[in-house]
Amino acid sequence: MLGKLKRNAFISVGLGFILIWLSEATETQVNYTAKPRVVLPPNYVKEIRPPSKKGSPVIVDFSIFVVDINSINVEDMDFRVDMFIHQCWHEPRLEIPDDIFEEGDDYVTLLPEVFENFWQPDPYFLNSKIAGYGSPYVASTSMLRNKGERDSKNFHLNKDLKIATLTHKFTSVTLYKNKTVRYAARMHAIIACQMEFQLYPMDIQVCPIHIESFSSNNQKVKLRWSDSGVTLNPELKLLQYNLGQPLQLEESDGYMPEKVGNFSRLTVFFRFERQIGHHLIQTFAPSSLVVMLSWFSFWLGLDAIPGRVTLLVTCMLTLVTMFTGADIPPVAYVKALDLWMAGCMLSVFAALAEFVVVKVLDVQYQYQVNRIPKRISNMEKGQCATVASWEGGAVRSRKATQTPTTPGQTSLQGNGGPPKPARRQSLLSVAWTDTDTGVEKIMWREIDKVSRAVFPILFFVFVLLYWPILLMKSS
């Protein structure tokens, strides 16, 4: 009988411990699932926006901290930005006990899972191609996957980049005692930008980022820039651009026909000013030197034809190679760099054309020099035979004499006949004699002398017109 009582006592104690353990486990589970109820009232509905004055929308303060701007792609006309975004709004429906705040603090940071039970605004980037939350390493993988031509060679790279990400979401929610909710997130986005390259490489691109409420019109939600607005990382540096400051911020209401209504919109304008130093070193200075090098051909005579032709052709091919290999945006309209290219190539081509003209004139000169002396010799022989025949016939006749007229002409007179054209007269088109010095002037040599001054003057006039106009338009 005693043993039976002891056995029942042990069973009762064991059942008691089991019941206590089950009650503690049940209480723990209830506390875990009831965490959002600490600040949310029982009748809270997250699909309904916070109450406000009649007819006034909920004000959502917005701010951005730009961490990095990179990958400014002129071919796709977009750029990538990594940033922290912050949104603040007032939620009067919250019930906030004081015991959830640490001593001396007026705020508490909630878990992202708790924030899922809150009402949230729904802003989005209106002109973004790709946007997402998280690490910039993950952002780079998403962009790589959107480049079809890079899929094969970057597949393994994408998997490696994901290893660098952290295990938690890159978001945080802060709740203040005055019932203000502050949401912060690390984001990346590829923003489309309509770029213009008429002044390239001194172009200035103004790229906006439009932030708009997606489902709530301006009667329900109004986006507003906070006091901090948009701030830039002080260590932010761009490869080929200077970022103009201060940034221009705008608040407006945009009508969206797709959603049939007016929606609150925030806009920040980024001003990208291209740095000219790279193009001065890589394009403008070398091309100017090549053009100057082509002027040396005017000091080479026609006895150095191979060297002169080689010099000019090499200068032309150098300019073609230089401009075809330059990183120029593939657009259909004329750019400022195209005008510079045309001016340099036209100058070298004109020097090559001048050589062709000079060579043609020299050929004509040599032909005239070699042909006319033979004609004069034959004419003199014919006149001497005529005089001898007249003397044999007992007819008195004067011997043919030569009467010089001018340094460029001679007259053959026989029997008082009219003067004959001299050999210099037939050379007037390609050569002549200076009346003051009596020195023979050859056309092709004079053209070379004039070209030595005309070509540099014309090129410098082109430079003096090109740069002031370009600087004036870019400013």
Side-chain angles (χ1 to χ4, degrees):
M1 187 69 180
L2 183 61
K4 187 175 181 180
L5 291 174
K6 289 181 179 181
R7 186 171 60 252
N8 292 336
F10 281 118
I11 294 174
S12 300
V13 172
L15 290 175
F17 279 115
I18 293 175
L19 291 174
I20 293 173
W21 179 79
L22 289 176
S23 63
E24 291 179 353
T26 304
E27 183 180 359
T28 302
Q29 185 175 5
V30 171
N31 290 338
Y32 175 78
T33 56
K35 280 183 179 179
R37 314 313 303 176
V38 173
V39 294
L40 299 179
N43 58 348
Y44 185 89
V45 180
K46 68 177 183 179
E47 289 78 14
I48 300 177
R49 65 188 179 98
S52 59
K53 295 181 180 180
K54 185 177 181 180
S56 61
V58 177
I59 304 298
V60 178
D61 290 328
F62 209 93
S63 64
I64 297 177
F65 177 77
V66 178
V67 179
D68 189 22
I69 297 176
N70 51 38
S71 301
I72 302 177
N73 193 336
V74 298
E75 295 183 359
D76 296 336
M77 291 200 297
D78 57 30
F79 67 99
R80 173 185 153 180
V81 55
D82 296 322
M83 55 192 162
F84 287 97
I85 63 170
H86 303 90
Q87 304 175 60
C88 295
W89 65 93
H90 187 65
E91 178 61 273
R93 294 176 293 177
L94 300 180
E95 297 177 355
I96 306 176
D98 293 336
D99 56 356
I100 67 173
F101 298 98
E102 295 184 3
E103 185 178 355
D105 292 340
D106 61 345
Y107 67 91
V108 62
T109 302
L110 304 179
L111 295 176
E113 292 79 5
V114 178
F115 184 62
E116 296 297 329
N117 298 278
F118 283 46
W119 175 87
Q120 305 174 20
D122 56 350
Y124 73 105
F125 294 107
L126 183 61
N127 57 332
S128 67
K129 294 182 178 180
I130 299 175
Y133 294 88
S135 167
Y137 298 102
V138 179
S140 61
T141 60
S142 63
M143 288 190 295
L144 289 173
R145 283 194 294 269
N146 283 273
K147 298 290 185 180
E149 65 275 9
R150 302 178 186 175
D151 281 347
S152 59
K153 64 180 180 180
N154 287 315
F155 176 74
H156 299 288
L157 177 62
N158 295 343
K159 295 193 296 182
D160 295 337
L161 290 175
K162 289 183 179 180
I163 298 176
T165 63
L166 302 179
T167 56
H168 65 279
K169 293 183 179 180
F170 292 85
T171 59
S172 66
V173 182
T174 304
L175 184 62
Y176 294 85
K177 286 185 177 182
N178 60 357
K179 299 183 179 181
T180 298
V181 181
R182 183 176 184 270
Y183 173 77
R186 172 69 181 265
M187 291 192 64
H188 63 272
I190 298 180
I191 307 298
C193 178
Q194 300 302 317
M195 302 181 182
E196 298 291 339
F197 300 101
Q198 282 87 353
L199 300 179
Y200 181 90
M202 295 191 65
D203 54 319
I204 298 176
Q205 308 297 339
V206 179
C207 298
I209 296 181
H210 300 290
I211 303 171
E212 185 178 271
S213 177
F214 187 81
S215 60
S216 301
N217 57 29
N218 57 357
Q219 301 296 326
K220 297 180 180 179
V221 173
K222 179 176 178 58
L223 302 180
R224 183 179 64 182
W225 288 115
S226 64
D227 295 336
S228 58
V230 179
T231 55
L232 298 176
N233 183 3
E235 298 180 356
L236 175 61
K237 294 182 180 179
L238 302 181
L239 186 60
Q240 296 186 17
Y241 296 88
N242 292 324
L243 187 57
Q245 295 188 27
L247 302 178
Q248 182 181 357
L249 305 179
E250 287 186 0
E251 300 177 4
S252 61
D253 293 330
Y255 177 75
M256 298 296 292
E258 297 82 3
K259 297 184 288 185
V260 190
N262 294 319
F263 293 82
S264 181
R265 180 181 300 177
L266 301 177
T267 306
V268 53
F269 294 93
F270 292 94
R271 180 184 174 92
F272 301 115
E273 302 175 358
R274 192 183 301 273
Q275 300 176 3
I276 192 64
H278 170 76
H279 294 278
L280 285 177
I281 298 174
Q282 297 293 330
T283 304
F284 290 104
S287 59
S288 300
L289 293 177
V290 171
V291 172
M292 296 178 184
L293 183 63
S294 67
W295 300 339
F296 294 161
S297 64
F298 303 137
W299 274 265
L300 298 178
L302 292 181
D303 53 345
I305 293 179
R308 191 165 179 172
V309 172
T310 302
L311 176 62
L312 293 174
V313 173
T314 302
C315 291
M316 178 62 72
L317 294 179
T318 302
L319 289 177
V320 172
T321 304
M322 184 183 303
F323 292 135
T324 54
D327 186 14
I328 303 176
V331 294
Y333 46 82
V334 178
K335 302 174 291 296
L337 187 59
D338 295 335
L339 297 178
W340 178 264
M341 293 168 50
C344 293
M345 297 182 69
L346 184 61
S347 179
V348 176
F349 179 79
L352 187 59
E354 187 269 351
F355 166 73
V356 174
V357 172
V358 164
K359 181 58 181 174
V360 171
L361 293 176
D362 179 63
V363 170
Q364 291 183 358
Y365 173 75
Q366 296 297 334
Y367 175 75
Q368 296 291 344
V369 168
N370 296 329
R371 182 172 64 91
I372 292 180
K374 295 180 180 180
R375 181 184 301 176
I376 295 176
S377 177
N378 294 334
M379 292 174 62
E380 292 177 350
K381 291 180 179 180
Q383 288 186 358
C384 291
T386 304
V387 172
S389 62
W390 277 88
E391 290 179 350
V395 178
R396 190 172 182 178
S397 175
R398 290 187 303 169
K399 186 178 180 181
T401 59
Q402 295 184 356
T403 305
T405 57
T406 64
Q409 294 181 345
T410 57
S411 298
L412 295 177
Q413 296 180 354
N415 301 326
K420 301 292 184 179
R423 85 170 184 176
R424 294 294 186 188
Q425 187 175 358
S426 63
L427 297 177
L428 287 178
S429 60
V430 292
W432 67 93
T433 301
D434 192 349
T435 56
D436 297 331
T437 61
V439 179
E440 184 183 31
K441 301 288 186 178
I442 302 176
M443 178 70 73
W444 68 265
R445 290 178 180 173
E446 297 302 319
I447 292 178
D448 269 351
K449 291 179 181 179
V450 173
S451 298
R452 295 170 189 174
V454 171
F455 274 71
I457 291 175
L458 291 179
F459 184 75
F460 288 136
V461 169
F462 166 71
V463 172
L464 292 177
L465 292 176
Y466 178 86
W467 284 106
I469 294 176
L470 182 59
L471 292 173
M472 183 173 57
K473 286 192 173 183
S474 62
S475 61

